[in-house]
Amino acid sequence: MSRHVAETAHRLIPSPGGRIHLVEQGTGPLVLLVHGFPESWYSWRHQLPVLAAAGYRAVAIDVRGYGRSSKPTATDAYRMLDLVEDNVAVVHALGEESAVVIGHDWGATIAANSALLRPEVFRAVGLLSVPYTPRGGPRPSELFARMGGDEEFYVSYFQEPGRAEAEMEPDVRGWLAGFYAALSADTMPAPGAPDPHFVGRKGGTLRDRFPVGRQPAWLSDEELDVYAGEFERTGMTGALARYRNMDRDWEDLADFDGAPITQPSLFIGGGLDASTTWLADAIKAYPVTLPGLVDSHLLDDCGHWIQQERAAEVNRLLTDWLAALPV
């Protein structure tokens, strides 16, 4: 049953890496929302009031390195183990013992590892856009280096400190607009066009392949201004540090090689999102890797920014799943 809910409230709470900025709305069981790259708590603006109205305490964080959260200078301060402990710190600082955790993009991977490593804190997990893929296989840097042939995969491109920043930071707003457009259903490049996830090995940039002058329907100028303002203030290094810890994560999580997540789970992906096509085998493996899976949905004609592109549909799927969880 919906109810009147208070406006959103901003808070800064202590965490192992300094402080985490969060935005909360509503009262009830805690639902922690974790964004991806390159976003902020603001990517959950359509979910906060709906979850609050449905009877939940909805809390969206700025992940370490983003927005108003702390930005440690050391690259290895952004390893997955530390981000999981940030999530645990948020739950406990809010006076709670447990929470449902829901993530999008990198936030989905952070949410999955939070549930895997701290099951006593995270009683259920929702994954948007990026499927759960257990730790395993070759070292990530080796895997991504093999992709693309004569071109370089974006994850490899992001590895070298300063390199991607040099592309992004001179025009943060323009770069973000192009990146969002490249991965949105209504503005992404046509089939057969050069893939915006790759760059030429001889000095190319991601932006070379972004759509020009096309803004997705889900993103207004005012909303783009919010995103741009955050990164113009903070720079991009904290956000990119997540990519620069993938080999460390592979080493840190060796004891969890192939481990399933057993709590109740949900997956929602976009039918046009490269994340769901590249990782189609991970979705097929869910009976083994997510034995607690309650529902899995691929939304037709939807790109990567799923909770913004298809807010009403995602909200319905989230609230239906949450309502069915054991208390």
Side-chain angles (χ1 to χ4, degrees), residues 190-266:
D195 192 328
H197 293 90
F198 292 84
V199 302
R201 293 187 183 275
K202 296 181 180 180
T205 68
L206 286 173
R207 190 169 184 169
D208 293 341
R209 297 180 174 181
F210 292 166
V212 177
R214 300 170 62 198
Q215 192 156 309
W218 61 266
L219 184 67
S220 70
D221 284 337
E222 292 77 16
E223 290 168 328
L224 178 57
D225 286 341
V226 173
Y227 282 123
E230 294 292 85
F231 289 107
E232 285 169 345
R233 186 179 70 253
T234 65
M236 302 298 297
T237 299
L240 289 164
R242 177 82 293 273
Y243 292 92
R244 296 165 184 166
N245 277 278
M246 297 177 76
D247 281 355
R248 286 189 185 91
D249 298 339
W250 184 83
E251 295 167 357
D252 288 342
L253 298 172
D255 290 344
F256 293 87
D257 194 85
I261 295 172
T262 59
Q263 297 97 309
S265 56
L266 169 74

Side-chain angles (χ1 to χ4, degrees), residues 45-239:
R45 62 194 177 282
H46 302 300
Q47 284 68 52
L48 286 167
V50 172
L51 295 178
Y56 300 95
R57 187 182 186 184
V59 173
I61 66 169
D62 280 336
V63 173
R64 181 187 298 207
Y66 287 83
R68 302 175 216 177
S69 290
S70 294
K71 297 157 195 65
T73 56
T75 300
D76 64 0
Y78 296 85
R79 64 206 314 152
M80 184 60 67
L81 295 179
D82 290 334
L83 301 183
V84 168
E85 289 310 305
D86 283 347
N87 285 351
V88 173
V90 168
V91 173
H92 291 162
L94 293 174
E96 305 286 352
E97 295 297 323
S98 67
V100 175
V101 61
I102 299 171
H104 169 257
D105 183 80
W106 263 121
T109 305
I110 297 168
N113 280 282
S114 296
L116 177 68
L117 299 175
R118 299 299 298 269
E120 77 284 5
V121 176
F122 299 102
R123 61 187 182 91
V125 58
L127 309 176
L128 274 59
S129 295
V130 174
Y132 173 56
T133 304
R135 186 264 190 211
R139 184 177 293 270
S141 61
E142 298 171 3
L143 176 66
F144 293 123
R146 299 173 194 166
M147 299 179 66
D150 293 336
E151 296 182 323
E152 185 177 17
F153 192 50
Y154 80 101
V155 175
S156 297
Y157 176 65
F158 284 170
Q159 295 303 308
E160 182 183 342
R163 184 179 174 201
E165 289 93 326
E167 172 188 345
M168 301 170 182
E169 292 180 352
D171 177 19
V172 168
R173 191 181 192 279
W175 192 90
L176 290 174
F179 192 71
Y180 296 150
L183 306 185
S184 297
D186 61 334
T187 52
M188 64 176 51
D195 192 328
H197 293 90
F198 292 84
V199 302
R201 293 187 183 275
K202 296 181 180 180
T205 68
L206 286 173
R207 190 169 184 169
D208 293 341
R209 297 180 174 181
F210 292 166
V212 177
R214 300 170 62 198
Q215 192 156 309
W218 61 266
L219 184 67
S220 70
D221 284 337
E222 292 77 16
E223 290 168 328
L224 178 57
D225 286 341
V226 173
Y227 282 123
E230 294 292 85
F231 289 107
E232 285 169 345
R233 186 179 70 253
T234 65
M236 302 298 297
T237 299

